[in-house]
Amino acid sequence: MDHLARTPLQIGTLIRRVRKKHGWNQGELADKAGLRQATVSLIETGHGAAKLDTLLRVLAALDLELKISARRKSSPADIEELL
């Protein structure tokens, strides 16, 4: 499963989708990641101040990983997002 996310809100939305596919509520994901439920809620709603370590813990709990790649600029929408 590969998805593109370029904003904190897009990352949060993807995390929420995967969490729900696991059948977990935010508290269950928080327990598995060693975090508070409120922290998971902030991440899922796109709060941009989440620490990288915290985000990586959530991804690991969901059996996901962060992949860095060159940005694609294949459509005007991709370029508009930068503005």
Side-chain angles (χ1 to χ4, degrees), residues 3 16 19 29 33 38 48:
H3 294 283
R16 180 183 311 111
R19 172 181 58 78
L29 174 55

Side-chain angles (χ1 to χ4, degrees), residues 9-36:
L9 182 57
Q10 290 171 338
I11 292 169
T13 299
L14 290 171
I15 287 172
R16 180 183 311 111
R17 285 183 193 161
V18 174
R19 172 181 58 78
K20 288 183 175 187
K21 283 184 182 180
H22 282 289
W24 300 339
N25 61 39
Q26 288 180 343
E28 291 168 318
L29 174 55
D31 287 343
K32 293 174 189 315
L35 302 168
R36 297 177 317 125

Side-chain angles (χ1 to χ4, degrees), residues 21-76:
K21 283 184 182 180
H22 282 289
W24 300 339
N25 61 39
Q26 288 180 343
E28 291 168 318
L29 174 55
D31 287 343
K32 293 174 189 315
L35 302 168
R36 297 177 317 125
Q37 178 273 328
T39 302
V40 172
S41 178
L42 287 172
I43 291 169
E44 287 187 358
T45 56
H47 193 273
K51 293 181 180 179
L52 181 58
D53 179 64
T54 301
L55 181 59
L56 292 173
R57 288 167 65 179
V58 169
L59 294 175
L62 292 168
D63 200 27
L64 299 173
E65 62 188 7
L66 180 66
K67 178 181 176 182
I68 307 295
S69 62
R71 182 181 283 266
R72 292 182 295 131
K73 293 182 182 167
S74 59
S75 75

